[in-house]
């Protein structure tokens, strides 16, 4: 099995399930639920929690910014109904929240979910929210550029580590839909 965790720059990665202490609880549970061959493609590396924000992480650990993927939680509203989705886009782009995401959620208005709300609903730390282990029923909208990347760096559910995985695996996570032009 070939794994490419070199996107983590100067960090040494290990199979993520070998270090559950580097995973948020929902992330660990979701990885355990994956096919073992898929779970083995996910590498984890410990980082300084103060360097969890993408730009700081990439600068500190020589990780390419165009191979980091940010996961943002979006809340779409129509009347009294609020629907949530997560978007996975390369760090060099921004999710098209007011266009593609709003239409996908069939919402009149869509915006980034407030930090406290996103943290509470995902069970993950702010700055570590990731595409693996999202709440059941949430769509995971994956930009096509992420889906075709040989490997990307994503959060781990906590601020003290990062994960690396093939983009095609991100595109196959539960609830994932590849969306052309999601990242602009």
């Amino acid at each position: 099995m070939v794994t490419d965790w070199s996107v983590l720059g100067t960090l040494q990665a290990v199979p993520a399930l070998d270090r559950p202490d580097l995973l948020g609880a929902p992330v660990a549970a979701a990885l355990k639920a994956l096919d073992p061959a898929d779970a083995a493609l996910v590498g984890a590396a410990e980082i300084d929690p103060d360097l969890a924000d993408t730009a700081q992480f990439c600068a500190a650990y020589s990780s390419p910014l165009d191979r980091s993927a940010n996961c943002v939680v979006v809340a779409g509203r129509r009347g009294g109904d609020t629907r949530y989705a997560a978007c996975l886009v390369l760090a060099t782009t921004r999710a098209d929240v007011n266009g593609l995401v709003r239409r996908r959620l069939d919402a009149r208005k869509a915006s980034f979910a407030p930090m406290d709300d996103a943290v509470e609903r995902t069970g993950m730390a702010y700055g570590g929210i990731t595409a693996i282990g999202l709440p059941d029923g949430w769509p995971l909208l994956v930009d096509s550029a992420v889906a075709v990347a040989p490997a990307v760096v994503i959060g781990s559910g906590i601020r003290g580590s990062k994960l690396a995985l093939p983009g095609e695996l991100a595109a196959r996570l539960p609830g994932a839909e590849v969306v052309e032009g999601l990242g602009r």
Side-chain angles (χ1 to χ4, degrees):
M1 171 181 359
V2 177
T3 54
D4 178 9
W5 298 331
S6 65
V7 293
L8 289 165
T10 58
L11 296 169
Q12 292 299 312
V14 298
L17 286 176
D18 288 356
R19 290 289 308 269
D21 59 308
L22 296 181
L23 307 173
V27 177
L31 281 173
K32 288 176 189 168
L34 287 179
D35 178 288
D38 285 341
L41 298 174
V42 182
E46 190 168 0
I47 66 166
D48 179 336
D50 292 334
L51 299 173
D53 294 335
T54 304
Q56 292 175 311
F57 165 79
C58 289
Y61 299 106
S62 301
S63 178
L65 187 61
D66 64 352
R67 287 295 170 246
S68 282
N70 291 330
C71 185
V72 295
V73 175
V74 176
R77 292 170 207 70
R78 179 179 285 278
D81 185 33
T82 302
R83 299 175 193 129
Y84 292 88
C87 301
L88 191 62
V89 297
L90 292 177
T92 53
T93 66
R94 293 186 167 274
D96 182 10
V97 172
N98 292 312
L100 290 173
V101 179
R102 180 185 57 77
R103 287 190 297 277
R104 168 57 183 81
L105 290 175
D106 190 29
R108 289 202 184 280
K109 180 179 179 189
S111 58
F112 296 110
M115 176 184 61
D116 293 346
D117 194 25
V119 166
E120 181 181 337
R121 290 182 182 279
T122 62
M124 300 179 203
Y126 179 72
I129 293 175
T130 192
I132 300 172
L134 292 167
D136 288 341
W138 278 25
L140 168 60
L141 308 179
V142 179
D143 183 66
S144 56
V146 172
V148 299
V152 292
V153 175
I154 63 173
S156 63
I158 64 171
R159 291 184 62 87
S161 62
K162 293 286 185 181
L163 302 178
L165 71 159
E168 64 86 19
L169 177 57
R172 293 189 288 111
L173 291 170
E177 302 171 27
V178 176
V179 180
E180 187 73 37
L182 177 63
R184 296 178 171 247

